[in-house]
Amino acid sequence: MTPAPRFAARALACALAITATAAAATPATAKAPTRIVALTPFTANTLAHLGIKPVGIGQTLGGHDKLDPALKSVKTLPLSHPAGPNLEQLAALNPQLVLSTPTWQRGETAMRKLGMKVVDVEPRSLAEVAVDTKRIGALVGRTAQANRLATQIDRGIANAQKNIRKHPTVLLIIGVGRTPYAALENSWGGDVVKKAGGRLLTRGLRASGGFARISNETVVERDPDVIIAVPHGAAGDIPRLARYLKTNPAWKTTKAARNKRIYVSTGNSLLQAWTDAGRTISDVRRSFLKN
Amino acid sequence: MPLRRLSVVMIAAVTLVAAIGASLALGAVSIPLRDVIDALTGNLDPGPFKQIVTELRLPRTVDAILVGASLGVAGALLQGALGNPLASPDVIGVTGGAGFGAVLILLVFPGSIALLPVGALVFGLAAAAIVFAVAWSGESRGGIGKLILAGIGVQAFFFAATTATMVIYSDRVQSAVFWLAGGLVSEGWTNTEAVWPYFAVGLIAAAALMRPLDRLALGDDVAASLGARPRLIRLIACATAAVLASAAASLVGLLSFLGLVTPHLVRLAGGTPSHRYVVPVSALVGATILLVGDTLARVVAAPVELPVGPFMVALGVPLFLWLLRKTV
C-alpha cells in the first residue's frame, strides 16, 4: 500500500472509531415530558391537536370559549399579574414542562427554581404559528404530527387570504379600560388584520410589545374606514367597555363612525394567537372588513 | 417593664406566632396540617406538598417577617432622628428611588427581571445618598429642615422619572403596577439570600442606635452636653433606615405605610416614646402586621393573590385611629 492510501485508511479508521465512541457516549433521546402545563390557549390547543392532554391550562381573560373540547376536563389555573399562575397550584400539578409566554416572565424565574422546564411559546405573527407548532411538537416528542399540523395551518392561512377585493384603512384599537392602544403590525391582531386585507393606519407609532398608546385626536386625524375595537379587562367589565367603545363620542366624526363601521370584537382572537389562524383571518374579512 | 408595655409585647408576639402558623398552613393548595409539620421537620417525602411548604411558603413567611420588622424599625429610627412624627422612608427619598429602579427593570429591561431586587436596592440607596449629600453640605449642614426638603425634592424627581417611564412604556405598565402597589411574591430563597446582609447590618445598627436616639430626643443641645454628637447620630440613623427601607423595597415594592404607622402604634399602645422600647417592638409589630396582611392577601381570593398593601391598611389604620382617639 502506498503512503497515501495507507494514510486514508488510517484516517477512515480513526473517524469510524471517533464516531462509534461519540455514538456510545450520546444518551438515548430524552424521554418526552408527560406532565405538561399550557398557560396559553394556543399552546393548549396545539397539545390537544397533537393528541396530548396537559395536566393544567391557563385561564386567561375572556374565558375558554375557543378551547378544544378535549381540554374540557383539564384543571384550569387562573392567571393574574404579575406572576401568572398561582405557584402553589402549579407546583401541586408537578409539571415537567410549562409552556408559558413572556407575559408571565416574572413568575418563570420561580417556576424554574421549582425544577420545572419553562419554555416561552407565543406567536406574534401568523408566520410564527407553524414555526411554534413545530417547536411544541419537538418539545413533546410529536415531531411528525406537528409538521403535519403546521402544514395544515399554513394552508389554512393561505386559503383565507385568497380573493381579497378591498383594502380598507383600519385602526385596531385595544381598549384597556377607557385608554385606547393601537395594535401595530408587530402584534398578533395587527398581523391578522393586515393579512385579511386591511391597511393599518399605524405609521409612526412604535412599541416593542406591539401596542402603542394612541390618542383620540390621532384616531380622528387618521380617519380610518374601519375601527375594530377590542375591550380588554375583567370578564364582567367587557360588555360595559364594549358599549363605550362602540359609541365613543370622540370618534364620531371619523368615516368609520359615520358609515357605522366601528366593530367590537369581544373574543380573544385578535389579542393572542390561535391554532385556527386561517379561520381568524376569514372571520375578520367577513365580519369587519367585508372584503 | 411596666405591665402595659409587657402586654403589648406579649400580644404582638402571640399574634406573630399565630400568623407564622397560618402563613405556613394556608394557601391556594390545601395541605393537611400534619404534612405541613412533616415538611418543616424534614419528615415528608419529596413531592409537591413538601416543595410548596419549604420552597414557597417558608421563604415568603421569612421575607414578610424581615420586611415588616425592617420597615417598622426604619420608621422608628427616622421619626426619632428627625423628631418628626410624619417621617417615613418617603422622607429620605428611598421609596421614590426604589420605585424608579424597579420600574426601570420591569419596563425598560424586562429580560433582566432577575435584577429587579438589585435595581430597587441600588436606586433606593442612591436616592438616599443624594438626599444626605445635599443635606450635609453648605450652610446649616445636617439640619432637619434641610434634610426633609432635600428628601421631598429627590422623592419628587424619582416619582416624575417613574411616571415618565411608565408613560413611555405604557404597553408594559401592568407588570409595574402590581409591584408599585406593594406585595410579596413566592420566589424561593434567591432574593432573600441576596439582600439579607443589608437587613442584618441595618437591624444591628438600629439596636446600637437606641440609646443615642433617646439622648437625641432631649434636644440637640442637651444631647451634646451629654457627650453625644447629634448630627452624626442623625446621619447614621437616617442611613440605617435607608438601608433597611431599600432592602425591604427590593423584596416587596412600596409599602411605606408600615414605616409610618408602626412606630406610632407602638408608642400609643405602649405609652412610651423611649427608643429602647419603640425600636424593637416596632420590629415585632411591623412583622406581625405584614405577615397577617400577606396571609390574607394570599388566601382571601385564592388562587388569585391580591396586593398586600390594602390589607395592611385595613388592619393597621382602624387600630391606629382607635388608639389615636383613646390616647392622644
Side-chain angles (χ1 to χ4, degrees):
Chain A
M1 202 181 271
T2 58
R6 202 161 45 229
F7 175 75
R10 279 181 191 161
L12 182 63
C14 281
L16 285 172
I18 290 167
T19 309
T21 311
T26 306
T29 308
K31 212 177 161 193
T34 51
R35 300 188 63 79
I36 305 168
V37 168
L39 294 184
T40 62
F42 171 75
T43 53
N45 278 345
T46 303
L47 289 176
H49 288 315
L50 297 177
I52 293 171
K53 197 169 184 179
V55 293
I57 49 179
Q59 166 86 59
T60 50
L61 291 171
H64 274 190
D65 50 332
K66 285 176 72 180
L67 278 184
D68 192 288
L71 300 167
K72 267 194 180 140
S73 58
V74 177
K75 183 171 177 58
T76 55
L77 302 170
L79 302 171
S80 66
H81 281 278
N86 182 291
L87 286 174
E88 288 192 9
Q89 281 196 322
L90 186 64
L93 295 175
N94 201 18
Q96 296 160 298
L97 173 66
V98 179
L99 297 173
S100 181
T101 97
T103 309
W104 312 122
Q105 204 170 31
R106 177 112 196 251
E108 289 177 2
T109 315
M111 292 176 208
R112 291 194 178 97
K113 279 180 206 156
L114 292 172
M116 301 164 197
K117 181 178 179 180
V118 184
V119 180
D120 283 339
V121 185
E122 187 186 38
R124 290 267 296 272
S125 67
L126 289 157
E128 286 174 15
V129 175
V131 175
D132 282 341
T133 301
K134 289 178 189 172
R135 217 169 128 220
I136 294 173
L139 284 166
V140 300
R142 302 277 169 105
T143 309
Q145 293 99 312
N147 288 344
R148 280 198 296 276
L149 180 60
T151 308
Q152 199 182 319
I153 289 168
D154 277 342
R155 201 180 299 131
I157 292 171
N159 286 338
Q161 293 179 79
K162 283 180 183 165
N163 305 320
I164 294 176
R165 293 184 304 278
K166 285 183 275 182
H167 296 273
T169 55
V170 182
L171 272 175
L172 173 60
I173 293 180
I174 315 299
V176 181
R178 292 190 170 199
T179 309
Y181 285 79
L184 310 183
E185 287 186 14
N186 61 335
S187 69
W188 167 259
D191 195 40
V192 168
V193 169
K194 208 174 135 196
K195 296 289 192 307
R199 284 181 290 143
L200 289 171
L201 295 176
T202 53
R203 66 184 179 280
L205 298 175
R206 275 188 191 82
S208 57
F211 300 98
R213 179 85 165 79
I214 188 169
S215 67
N216 285 325
E217 279 187 23
T218 311
V219 175
V220 172
E221 182 261 325
R222 305 235 163 157
D223 197 15
D225 297 320
V226 176
I227 293 176
I228 305 170
V230 183
H232 182 56
D237 295 337
I238 296 297
R240 184 179 50 78
L241 287 173
R243 274 196 303 278
Y244 168 75
L245 291 166
K246 180 95 182 162
T247 57
N248 186 351
W251 301 341
K252 69 180 178 191
T253 57
T254 59
K255 267 186 282 184
R258 291 199 308 272
N259 298 327
K260 300 193 180 344
R261 296 196 70 185
I262 296 178
Y263 304 105
V264 177
S265 169
T266 51
N268 274 355
S269 58
L270 291 176
L271 287 178
Q272 56 187 312
W274 296 87
T275 41
D276 53 355
R279 202 171 77 189
T280 307
I281 296 173
S282 301
D283 288 346
V284 168
R285 287 185 61 186
R286 189 181 58 252
S287 306
F288 307 140
L289 305 188
K290 319 275 187 197
N291 61 356
Chain B
M1 190 186 284
L3 186 63
R4 180 176 170 184
R5 292 180 212 168
L6 190 64
S7 306
V8 173
V9 173
M10 292 305 292
I11 290 168
V14 169
T15 313
L16 179 61
V17 171
I20 291 170
S23 175
L24 293 169
L26 303 175
V29 172
S30 173
I31 302 178
L33 193 59
R34 183 75 251 167
D35 286 351
V36 174
I37 294 165
D38 285 347
L40 292 169
T41 52
N43 294 324
L44 191 67
D45 292 334
F49 280 3
K50 185 171 185 179
Q51 202 172 29
I52 289 169
V53 174
T54 60
E55 293 179 45
L56 295 176
R57 291 184 189 173
L58 185 60
R60 189 163 171 157
T61 304
V62 171
D63 283 355
I65 293 170
L66 270 178
V67 169
S70 297
L71 287 175
V73 169
L77 292 180
L78 284 169
Q79 288 167 15
L82 302 179
N84 187 327
L86 294 177
S88 74
D90 294 347
V91 167
I92 49 171
V94 167
T95 317
F100 175 70
V103 164
L104 199 65
I105 299 290
L106 285 165
L107 303 187
V108 185
F109 305 107
S112 307
I113 195 86
L115 293 177
L116 178 63
V118 181
L121 183 70
V122 167
F123 277 90
L125 290 174
I130 296 169
V131 172
F132 298 151
V134 173
W136 264 267
S137 62
E139 282 181 34
S140 66
R141 50 199 305 215
I144 293 172
K146 196 171 179 183
L147 180 71
I148 291 174
L149 288 172
I152 290 170
V154 170
Q155 182 84 344
F157 172 79
F158 277 108
F159 271 143
T162 303
T163 309
T165 311
M166 289 171 77
V167 170
I168 293 167
Y169 293 90
S170 56
D171 58 319
R172 301 177 187 171
V173 86
Q174 206 168 0
S175 60
V177 169
F178 196 94
W179 191 91
L180 290 172
L184 288 138
V185 283
S186 304
E187 287 187 332
W189 293 106
T190 311
N191 292 341
T192 323
E193 282 167 1
V195 294
W196 78 264
Y198 297 92
F199 287 118
V201 167
L203 292 172
I204 290 167
L209 281 163
M210 290 187 296
R211 269 177 199 281
L213 283 174
D214 276 342
R215 285 190 199 144
L216 203 63
L218 302 170
D220 282 12
D221 295 339
V222 178
S225 72
L226 292 171
R229 297 170 65 187
R231 288 182 183 180
L232 183 64
I233 294 169
R234 198 167 285 129
L235 177 63
I236 295 172
C238 289
T240 305
V243 169
L244 288 171
S246 298
S250 73
L251 285 185
V252 302
L254 308 185
L255 290 176
S256 53
F257 159 82
L258 208 53
L260 176 68
V261 166
T262 305
H264 287 297
L265 270 177
V266 173
R267 273 187 223 106
L268 292 170
T272 173
S274 166
H275 290 90
R276 277 172 288 172
Y277 179 79
V278 173
V279 170
V281 181
S282 290
L284 192 61
V285 172
T288 307
I289 293 176
L290 183 53
L291 192 55
V292 172
D294 181 58
T295 307
L296 286 173
R298 278 194 299 125
V299 172
V300 165
V304 174
E305 292 186 5
L306 304 171
V308 70
F311 283 94
M312 274 188 347
V313 172
L315 282 172
V317 168
L319 183 60
F320 177 63
L321 293 177
W322 179 72
L323 280 169
L324 202 61
R325 192 165 168 267
K326 270 194 71 137
T327 324
V328 181

